[in-house]
Amino acid sequence: MTFSASWHNLLENAEELPPDATLLTPLSRKPFRITDVQEHRILIEYREDDGTEPLQREQFETLYDRVTEGWGGFDLDNLPPNAEPYATVLSLHPRFQIDDREGMLSETETPKSSPLVDAHEVESDEAERGEPNISVYSDALLLIDELEQNDPSDLEELETPTLVNLYTLLSDVQRNADNLRQDVRSVLLDRLHHDQPISGQYGSVQRTSRSNRSLKNENEVLELLTEAGIERERVTSVDASKVDDALEVVELSESDVYNIEESEYVRKAEVDEESKETRLQGLKDRLAATDENTEDLQEEIEALEQRIDDLTSFDSASSFHTNLSGEP
């Protein structure tokens, strides 16, 4: 197929895109959209910039030649500066595809949609919102409800049970959010194959690396350092684990060999999952009824929430008074 035929095919596919479709550049992941399709160029607009940028037909032809003449496709790392959107737009053509993980633009005999277009279309406000079945969502919903009922800007004014609720939910959200973060990180690592940052709506990420060191065989290291003129005493130190073993067989106390500093902290002892689930169900029902005229259901939810408050709260002043007086 000649480039002229491919060009007109590309123009047709570009015109068929939804007006709110968002495209991403393959390396830097900058979002942009197509604003106009003309005979000799395609106009695009970056989300964070004002004004349009023309993508010229001649440049598409150059990229077309590089892809079709090269063995195995075209390495996206070889794109000239500011040429990334050409690769994304060319992938709208059914004969060209971007391998998002390998960073290659190549011809294909099995047409499929571009991963930099279809997966990143802007959702309309009327799009149906689903409820994800993950722990952090439920805990975050409960935490939001608690924060809406109790202003955390002045913690000293909050009752002790409220502080306990906040601490418990914050702890659960932190743990579950970190678990989800690690899962997301594992998937992202397979897709970040360049040093350039990849941007999303709320931020950007970049692949990086770090080295973890561990000493080789102790005798081998000491011999090498001795040969280099370093005295053994300068690099040897007391092993804490061996000191602990020694304390068990000698008449020395722990304070004789350790500097000990005591610190106090709050630890989450247990979580009342049943109360959390009951409150959560009430919140879900309330959210589901937001757009409906369900006054009876709303009253039932509020009554249920009041019962939960009565069962899970206590009079802190009365409790402290009882403990101090020693009377039941």
Side-chain angles (χ1 to χ4, degrees):
M1 181 181 293
T2 65
F3 173 73
S4 179
S6 297
W7 172 247
H8 287 94
N9 193 323
L10 178 62
L11 295 181
E12 292 175 1
N13 282 273
E15 288 180 329
E16 291 175 359
L17 279 179
D20 59 352
T22 296
L23 292 76
L24 295 178
T25 56
L27 302 182
S28 59
R29 286 303 202 273
K30 291 180 62 176
F32 67 95
R33 66 185 184 91
I34 294 176
T35 60
D36 193 14
V37 176
Q38 301 175 2
E39 181 62 27
H40 296 290
R41 64 180 186 174
I42 296 175
L43 300 180
I44 67 169
E45 180 181 72
Y46 287 104
R47 179 182 294 172
E48 66 272 19
D49 298 335
D50 295 329
T52 59
E53 179 178 321
L55 304 182
Q56 303 294 344
R57 182 184 190 277
E58 293 79 6
Q59 300 299 325
F60 278 107
E61 184 171 7
T62 299
L63 180 59
Y64 172 92
D65 292 338
R66 296 288 297 276
V67 174
T68 56
E69 294 173 2
W71 181 83
F74 177 77
D75 190 336
L76 295 174
D77 278 337
N78 295 326
L79 283 170
N82 302 320
E84 289 187 50
Y86 282 91
T88 301
V89 175
L90 185 59
S91 70
L92 296 175
H93 192 290
R95 282 188 54 213
F96 296 92
Q97 68 175 8
I98 285 181
D99 188 325
D100 207 19
R101 297 188 178 184
E102 297 297 327
M104 299 292 293
L105 173 63
S106 58
E107 285 188 284
T108 178
E109 298 297 330
T110 55
K112 57 183 179 181
S113 59
S114 170
L116 300 179
V117 180
D118 292 351
H120 301 281
E121 290 187 6
V122 176
E123 297 182 359
S124 64
D125 293 337
E126 292 76 21
E128 183 178 352
R129 298 170 66 98
E131 178 187 322
N133 185 26
I134 53 176
S135 299
V136 68
Y137 174 82
S138 299
D139 289 329
L141 188 59
L142 288 167
L143 178 60
I144 291 172
D145 176 60
E146 194 72 26
L147 292 173
E148 288 177 344
Q149 295 185 59
N150 303 282
D151 184 4
S153 60
D154 190 357
L155 296 176
E156 295 293 338
E157 294 297 321
L158 298 181
E159 295 290 336
T160 299
T162 299
L163 292 173
V164 171
N165 288 340
L166 284 174
Y167 189 87
T168 300
L169 292 173
L170 286 166
S171 177
D172 289 344
V173 169
Q174 180 186 36
R175 183 188 69 252
N176 292 321
D178 191 59
N179 291 338
L180 180 60
R181 182 182 65 87
Q182 294 182 38
D183 293 340
V184 172
R185 180 181 61 189
S186 298
V187 176
L188 274 176
L189 280 175
D190 292 335
R191 303 184 184 183
L192 302 179
H193 46 82
H194 301 282
D195 292 334
Q196 297 169 306
I198 292 182
S199 300
Q201 181 179 357
Y202 303 114
S204 62
V205 296
Q206 184 174 2
R207 184 166 188 156
T208 185
S209 61
R210 59 186 175 189
S211 299
N212 296 318
R213 301 188 308 168
S214 61
L215 285 174
K216 297 182 178 180
N217 179 270
E218 180 177 326
N219 291 330
E220 179 183 348
V221 173
L222 289 174
E223 288 177 5
L224 289 172
L225 292 175
T226 301
E227 293 174 1
I230 303 297
E231 297 178 359
R232 296 171 67 96
E233 290 77 9
R234 293 182 57 187
V235 294
T236 55
S237 61
V238 177
D239 188 328
S241 62
K242 294 180 180 179
V243 171
D244 290 338
D245 293 338
L247 287 177
E248 295 180 0
V249 297
V250 297
E251 295 182 357
L252 290 174
S253 67
E254 190 180 44
S255 60
D256 290 332
V257 294
Y258 284 104
N259 292 320
I260 301 175
E261 295 183 0
E262 297 289 345
S263 60
E264 297 183 352
Y265 64 97
V266 175
R267 180 178 65 87
K268 184 179 65 176
E270 62 180 355
V271 177
D272 191 337
E273 297 292 348
E274 184 175 353
S275 293
K276 285 176 59 178
E277 184 60 33
T278 302
R279 169 72 79 174
L280 181 62
Q281 189 58 51
L283 293 172
K284 290 179 180 179
D285 292 341
R286 187 166 61 190
L287 289 174
T290 300
D291 298 327
E292 302 175 5
N293 185 15
T294 54
E295 295 182 1
D296 293 339
L297 177 60
Q298 187 69 23
E299 292 177 358
E300 292 177 6
I301 293 173
E302 292 175 354
L304 176 61
E305 292 175 346
Q306 184 60 50
R307 288 181 57 194
I308 295 173
D309 287 336
D310 294 340
L311 292 173
T312 58
S313 63
F314 63 92
D315 188 332
S316 57
S318 175
S319 299
F320 283 123
H321 177 74
T322 300
N323 291 336
L324 290 173
S325 65
E327 299 177 359

